Short mmCIF file of all heavy atoms in Angstrom, two decimals:
data_model
loop_
_atom_site.label_atom_id
_atom_site.label_comp_id
_atom_site.label_asym_id
_atom_site.label_seq_id
_atom_site.Cartn_x
_atom_site.Cartn_y
_atom_site.Cartn_z
N ARG R 173 10.74 -8.89 -8.52
CA ARG R 173 10.10 -8.70 -9.82
C ARG R 173 9.65 -7.25 -10.00
O ARG R 173 9.85 -6.64 -11.05
CB ARG R 173 8.91 -9.65 -9.95
CG ARG R 173 9.28 -11.02 -10.51
CD ARG R 173 9.69 -10.87 -11.95
NE ARG R 173 10.13 -12.15 -12.53
CZ ARG R 173 10.54 -12.29 -13.77
NH1 ARG R 173 10.59 -11.22 -14.57
NH2 ARG R 173 10.91 -13.45 -14.23
N HIS R 174 9.04 -6.69 -8.96
CA HIS R 174 8.63 -5.29 -9.04
C HIS R 174 9.84 -4.36 -9.10
O HIS R 174 9.81 -3.33 -9.78
CB HIS R 174 7.74 -4.94 -7.84
CG HIS R 174 6.30 -5.32 -8.04
ND1 HIS R 174 5.48 -4.65 -8.92
CD2 HIS R 174 5.55 -6.29 -7.49
CE1 HIS R 174 4.28 -5.20 -8.91
NE2 HIS R 174 4.29 -6.20 -8.05
N LEU R 175 10.89 -4.71 -8.38
CA LEU R 175 12.11 -3.92 -8.42
C LEU R 175 12.68 -3.87 -9.83
O LEU R 175 13.06 -2.80 -10.34
CB LEU R 175 13.14 -4.50 -7.45
CG LEU R 175 14.37 -3.66 -7.11
CD1 LEU R 175 13.96 -2.40 -6.36
CD2 LEU R 175 15.35 -4.48 -6.28
N ALA R 176 12.73 -5.03 -10.50
CA ALA R 176 13.25 -5.09 -11.86
C ALA R 176 12.36 -4.31 -12.83
O ALA R 176 12.85 -3.59 -13.70
CB ALA R 176 13.36 -6.55 -12.31
N ALA R 177 11.03 -4.45 -12.67
CA ALA R 177 10.11 -3.75 -13.56
C ALA R 177 10.21 -2.24 -13.38
O ALA R 177 10.21 -1.48 -14.36
CB ALA R 177 8.68 -4.22 -13.31
N THR R 178 10.31 -1.80 -12.14
CA THR R 178 10.40 -0.37 -11.87
C THR R 178 11.72 0.19 -12.38
O THR R 178 11.77 1.28 -12.96
CB THR R 178 10.27 -0.10 -10.36
OG1 THR R 178 9.01 -0.62 -9.91
CG2 THR R 178 10.33 1.39 -10.06
N ALA R 179 12.81 -0.55 -12.18
CA ALA R 179 14.11 -0.09 -12.66
C ALA R 179 14.12 0.01 -14.19
O ALA R 179 14.64 0.98 -14.76
CB ALA R 179 15.21 -1.05 -12.20
N ALA R 180 13.52 -0.97 -14.86
CA ALA R 180 13.45 -0.93 -16.32
C ALA R 180 12.64 0.27 -16.79
O ALA R 180 13.00 0.94 -17.76
CB ALA R 180 12.84 -2.23 -16.85
N ARG R 181 11.56 0.53 -16.10
CA ARG R 181 10.72 1.68 -16.47
C ARG R 181 11.47 2.99 -16.29
O ARG R 181 11.40 3.89 -17.12
CB ARG R 181 9.45 1.66 -15.61
CG ARG R 181 8.39 2.66 -16.03
CD ARG R 181 7.07 2.34 -15.39
NE ARG R 181 7.12 2.37 -13.94
CZ ARG R 181 6.96 1.31 -13.15
NH1 ARG R 181 6.75 0.11 -13.68
NH2 ARG R 181 7.00 1.43 -11.85
N GLU R 182 12.22 3.11 -15.19
CA GLU R 182 12.99 4.32 -14.94
C GLU R 182 14.08 4.52 -16.00
O GLU R 182 14.32 5.63 -16.46
CB GLU R 182 13.63 4.25 -13.55
CG GLU R 182 12.66 4.35 -12.39
CD GLU R 182 12.05 5.73 -12.27
OE1 GLU R 182 12.74 6.72 -12.58
OE2 GLU R 182 10.87 5.82 -11.88
N LEU R 183 14.71 3.42 -16.40
CA LEU R 183 15.79 3.52 -17.38
C LEU R 183 15.30 3.91 -18.77
O LEU R 183 16.05 4.47 -19.57
CB LEU R 183 16.55 2.19 -17.45
CG LEU R 183 17.41 1.86 -16.22
CD1 LEU R 183 17.95 0.44 -16.32
CD2 LEU R 183 18.56 2.86 -16.08
N THR R 184 14.05 3.57 -19.07
CA THR R 184 13.52 3.90 -20.39
C THR R 184 12.83 5.26 -20.41
O THR R 184 12.40 5.72 -21.48
CB THR R 184 12.51 2.84 -20.86
OG1 THR R 184 11.47 2.70 -19.88
CG2 THR R 184 13.21 1.50 -21.06
N GLU R 185 12.70 5.91 -19.23
CA GLU R 185 12.08 7.24 -19.20
C GLU R 185 12.96 8.24 -19.94
O GLU R 185 14.18 8.25 -19.78
CB GLU R 185 11.91 7.71 -17.74
CG GLU R 185 10.74 7.06 -17.02
CD GLU R 185 9.40 7.58 -17.50
OE1 GLU R 185 9.36 8.67 -18.09
OE2 GLU R 185 8.41 6.88 -17.26
N ARG R 186 12.35 9.05 -20.72
CA ARG R 186 13.09 10.12 -21.39
C ARG R 186 13.36 11.25 -20.42
O ARG R 186 12.54 11.55 -19.56
CB ARG R 186 12.31 10.63 -22.59
CG ARG R 186 12.23 9.64 -23.74
CD ARG R 186 11.33 10.14 -24.83
NE ARG R 186 9.95 10.21 -24.38
CZ ARG R 186 8.94 10.62 -25.15
NH1 ARG R 186 9.18 11.00 -26.39
NH2 ARG R 186 7.72 10.66 -24.68
N GLY R 187 14.50 11.92 -20.57
CA GLY R 187 14.81 13.06 -19.73
C GLY R 187 15.48 12.63 -18.44
O GLY R 187 16.14 11.61 -18.35
N SER R 188 15.27 13.42 -17.41
CA SER R 188 15.97 13.23 -16.14
C SER R 188 15.30 12.15 -15.32
O SER R 188 14.22 11.67 -15.62
CB SER R 188 15.98 14.54 -15.35
OG SER R 188 14.67 14.86 -14.92
N ALA R 189 15.96 11.83 -14.23
CA ALA R 189 15.41 10.84 -13.30
C ALA R 189 14.70 11.52 -12.15
O ALA R 189 14.64 11.00 -11.05
CB ALA R 189 16.54 9.94 -12.78
N ALA R 190 14.19 12.70 -12.37
CA ALA R 190 13.53 13.44 -11.30
C ALA R 190 12.27 12.72 -10.85
O ALA R 190 11.67 11.95 -11.59
CB ALA R 190 13.17 14.84 -11.80
N ASP R 191 11.87 13.01 -9.60
CA ASP R 191 10.68 12.38 -9.05
C ASP R 191 9.41 12.86 -9.75
O ASP R 191 8.42 12.15 -9.80
CB ASP R 191 10.57 12.67 -7.55
CG ASP R 191 11.61 11.92 -6.73
OD1 ASP R 191 12.06 10.87 -7.22
OD2 ASP R 191 11.95 12.37 -5.63
#
Side-chain angles (χ1 to χ4, degrees):
R173 272 292 177 180
H174 277 289
L175 192 65
T178 302
R181 189 165 60 246
E182 291 290 327
L183 289 172
T184 56
E185 283 287 340
R186 289 174 294 180
S188 68
D191 289 335

